[in-house]
mmCIF file of all heavy atoms in Angstrom:
data_model
loop_
_atom_site.group_PDB
_atom_site.id
_atom_site.type_symbol
_atom_site.label_atom_id
_atom_site.label_comp_id
_atom_site.label_asym_id
_atom_site.label_seq_id
_atom_site.Cartn_x
_atom_site.Cartn_y
_atom_site.Cartn_z
ATOM 1 N N ARG A 112 82.220 107.769 108.156
ATOM 2 C CA ARG A 112 82.184 106.626 107.242
ATOM 3 C C ARG A 112 81.941 105.301 107.966
ATOM 4 O O ARG A 112 81.439 104.351 107.382
ATOM 5 C CB ARG A 112 83.504 106.504 106.483
ATOM 6 C CG ARG A 112 83.670 107.492 105.388
ATOM 7 C CD ARG A 112 84.950 107.203 104.626
ATOM 8 N NE ARG A 112 85.186 108.205 103.618
ATOM 9 C CZ ARG A 112 86.318 108.334 102.951
ATOM 10 N NH1 ARG A 112 87.318 107.505 103.192
ATOM 11 N NH2 ARG A 112 86.444 109.275 102.046
ATOM 12 N N HIS A 113 82.382 105.219 109.224
ATOM 13 C CA HIS A 113 82.299 103.961 109.982
ATOM 14 C C HIS A 113 81.606 104.192 111.321
ATOM 15 O O HIS A 113 82.230 104.139 112.370
ATOM 16 C CB HIS A 113 83.710 103.398 110.206
ATOM 17 C CG HIS A 113 84.519 103.283 108.960
ATOM 18 N ND1 HIS A 113 84.280 102.317 108.014
ATOM 19 C CD2 HIS A 113 85.548 104.034 108.492
ATOM 20 C CE1 HIS A 113 85.147 102.478 107.016
ATOM 21 N NE2 HIS A 113 85.912 103.499 107.279
ATOM 22 N N PRO A 114 80.282 104.441 111.310
ATOM 23 C CA PRO A 114 79.587 104.778 112.554
ATOM 24 C C PRO A 114 79.609 103.673 113.613
ATOM 25 O O PRO A 114 79.514 103.959 114.796
ATOM 26 C CB PRO A 114 78.151 105.094 112.106
ATOM 27 C CG PRO A 114 78.017 104.518 110.740
ATOM 28 C CD PRO A 114 79.397 104.435 110.156
ATOM 29 N N ALA A 115 79.768 102.418 113.211
ATOM 30 C CA ALA A 115 79.798 101.322 114.188
ATOM 31 C C ALA A 115 81.188 101.125 114.793
ATOM 32 O O ALA A 115 81.339 100.392 115.765
ATOM 33 C CB ALA A 115 79.346 100.024 113.532
ATOM 34 N N ALA A 116 82.190 101.783 114.239
ATOM 35 C CA ALA A 116 83.567 101.638 114.724
ATOM 36 C C ALA A 116 83.863 102.664 115.819
ATOM 37 O O ALA A 116 83.172 103.679 115.953
ATOM 38 C CB ALA A 116 84.548 101.830 113.576
ATOM 39 N N THR A 117 84.921 102.396 116.578
ATOM 40 C CA THR A 117 85.417 103.358 117.562
ATOM 41 C C THR A 117 86.586 104.099 116.919
ATOM 42 O O THR A 117 87.563 103.470 116.496
ATOM 43 C CB THR A 117 85.903 102.632 118.834
ATOM 44 O OG1 THR A 117 84.805 101.885 119.367
ATOM 45 C CG2 THR A 117 86.417 103.620 119.864
ATOM 46 N N VAL A 118 86.468 105.415 116.828
ATOM 47 C CA VAL A 118 87.511 106.238 116.221
ATOM 48 C C VAL A 118 88.134 107.094 117.320
ATOM 49 O O VAL A 118 87.421 107.827 118.010
ATOM 50 C CB VAL A 118 86.949 107.141 115.098
ATOM 51 C CG1 VAL A 118 88.039 108.025 114.500
ATOM 52 C CG2 VAL A 118 86.280 106.292 114.012
ATOM 53 N N THR A 119 89.452 106.958 117.496
ATOM 54 C CA THR A 119 90.171 107.708 118.532
ATOM 55 C C THR A 119 91.384 108.395 117.922
ATOM 56 O O THR A 119 91.806 108.089 116.805
ATOM 57 C CB THR A 119 90.634 106.777 119.672
ATOM 58 O OG1 THR A 119 91.487 105.760 119.130
ATOM 59 C CG2 THR A 119 89.461 106.141 120.388
ATOM 60 N N ARG A 120 91.941 109.318 118.700
ATOM 61 C CA ARG A 120 93.163 110.033 118.318
ATOM 62 C C ARG A 120 94.239 109.720 119.356
ATOM 63 O O ARG A 120 94.512 110.519 120.247
ATOM 64 C CB ARG A 120 92.900 111.535 118.266
ATOM 65 C CG ARG A 120 92.038 111.966 117.123
ATOM 66 C CD ARG A 120 92.814 112.358 115.888
ATOM 67 N NE ARG A 120 93.501 113.613 116.078
ATOM 68 C CZ ARG A 120 94.828 113.727 116.223
ATOM 69 N NH1 ARG A 120 95.602 112.680 116.208
ATOM 70 N NH2 ARG A 120 95.383 114.888 116.397
ATOM 71 N N PRO A 121 94.853 108.539 119.278
ATOM 72 C CA PRO A 121 95.844 108.156 120.290
ATOM 73 C C PRO A 121 97.153 108.929 120.126
ATOM 74 O O PRO A 121 97.463 109.422 119.039
ATOM 75 C CB PRO A 121 96.071 106.672 120.000
ATOM 76 C CG PRO A 121 95.830 106.556 118.526
ATOM 77 C CD PRO A 121 94.719 107.531 118.234
ATOM 78 N N GLU A 122 97.897 109.016 121.223
ATOM 79 C CA GLU A 122 99.259 109.545 121.141
ATOM 80 C C GLU A 122 100.093 108.479 120.445
ATOM 81 O O GLU A 122 100.008 107.307 120.796
ATOM 82 C CB GLU A 122 99.815 109.801 122.546
ATOM 83 C CG GLU A 122 99.125 110.932 123.275
ATOM 84 C CD GLU A 122 99.414 112.291 122.648
ATOM 85 O OE1 GLU A 122 100.571 112.529 122.229
ATOM 86 O OE2 GLU A 122 98.474 113.090 122.558
ATOM 87 N N HIS A 123 100.873 108.881 119.469
ATOM 88 C CA HIS A 123 101.728 107.916 118.768
ATOM 89 C C HIS A 123 103.122 108.484 118.643
ATOM 90 O O HIS A 123 103.275 109.663 118.315
ATOM 91 C CB HIS A 123 101.159 107.599 117.381
ATOM 92 C CG HIS A 123 101.748 106.378 116.765
ATOM 93 N ND1 HIS A 123 102.997 106.375 116.191
ATOM 94 C CD2 HIS A 123 101.284 105.111 116.664
ATOM 95 C CE1 HIS A 123 103.274 105.162 115.761
ATOM 96 N NE2 HIS A 123 102.243 104.368 116.035
ATOM 97 N N PRO A 124 104.152 107.678 118.907
ATOM 98 C CA PRO A 124 105.527 108.176 118.857
ATOM 99 C C PRO A 124 105.951 108.716 117.494
ATOM 100 O O PRO A 124 106.842 109.554 117.414
ATOM 101 C CB PRO A 124 106.389 106.961 119.231
ATOM 102 C CG PRO A 124 105.476 105.862 119.570
ATOM 103 C CD PRO A 124 104.070 106.279 119.306
ATOM 104 N N ALA A 125 105.308 108.277 116.421
ATOM 105 C CA ALA A 125 105.689 108.722 115.082
ATOM 106 C C ALA A 125 104.959 109.978 114.632
ATOM 107 O O ALA A 125 105.277 110.534 113.588
ATOM 108 C CB ALA A 125 105.470 107.602 114.074
ATOM 109 N N GLY A 126 103.967 110.437 115.411
ATOM 110 C CA GLY A 126 103.256 111.658 115.042
ATOM 111 C C GLY A 126 101.760 111.533 115.220
ATOM 112 O O GLY A 126 101.253 110.549 115.767
#
Side-chain angles (χ1 to χ4, degrees):
R112 284 185 184 169
H113 308 287
T117 301
V118 178
T119 59
R120 289 268 289 108
E122 292 292 320
H123 196 283

